[in-house]
Amino acid sequence: MHNIRVKQLRPGAKLPTYGTAGAAGADLYACLEEDAVILPGQTRFLPTGIALEVPQGCAGLVYARSGLACKRGLAPANKVGVVDSDYRGEILVALHNHGDQPQIICDGERIAQLLITPVLTPEYGWSQELSDTQRNEKGFGSTGK
């Protein structure tokens, strides 16, 4: 198990926390001086007040919190944010309001979840041919037939 070093960048910032012992993602919290209003169709970058040290060979993946997305229409604008292992800046969450009502985010509110996961960084090279598979070039929806 890795320990993640976290640097507090703003007063009141909270460490990521797991909601249950079996939770895969750790909750990220808004660190705001005043409530943030996100209008319908709008994206706002919300600070967490923390920077962290993702282990080499891993990435931090920032996902939506299911309750926030399903009940309030708020989810990361980029669907899944990627925190590279060499990034040391503040973790910001770009929340997009997919709903038709303004949404208010308060200081200390859980706004996303962070998963730390191993990543492969292969080298890419040109090839004239690829190996055959049963599927080959069949795409979008082809496996459901």
Side-chain angles (χ1 to χ4, degrees), residues 28 52 54 58-63 76 78-94 113-119 121:
L28 293 174
L52 48 87
V54 175
C58 294
L61 302 179
V62 179
Y63 289 97
N78 53 346
K79 307 303 180 213
V80 178
V82 177
V83 181
D84 297 312
S85 64
D86 59 352
Y87 177 67
R88 295 294 184 268
E90 183 172 13
I91 304 300
L92 300 172
V93 177
Q113 57 182 322
L114 175 70
L115 279 75
I116 304 295
T117 187
V119 294
T121 52

Side-chain angles (χ1 to χ4, degrees), residues 68-142:
L68 205 59
C70 296
K71 295 176 184 174
R72 296 176 56 194
L74 295 173
N78 53 346
K79 307 303 180 213
V80 178
V82 177
V83 181
D84 297 312
S85 64
D86 59 352
Y87 177 67
R88 295 294 184 268
E90 183 172 13
I91 304 300
L92 300 172
V93 177
L95 272 189
H96 182 80
N97 183 350
H98 294 275
D100 58 5
Q101 297 295 318
Q103 295 293 325
I104 298 172
I105 297 293
C106 301
D107 181 50
E109 188 171 345
R110 296 175 296 171
I111 56 172
Q113 57 182 322
L114 175 70
L115 279 75
I116 304 295
T117 187
V119 294
L120 299 175
T121 52
E123 300 241 352
Y124 294 90
W126 294 113
S127 176
Q128 295 299 314
E129 298 294 328
L130 301 177
S131 61
D132 282 333
T133 68
Q134 186 176 9
R135 182 177 180 181
N136 274 332
E137 296 176 10
K138 297 174 188 162
F140 298 101
S142 65

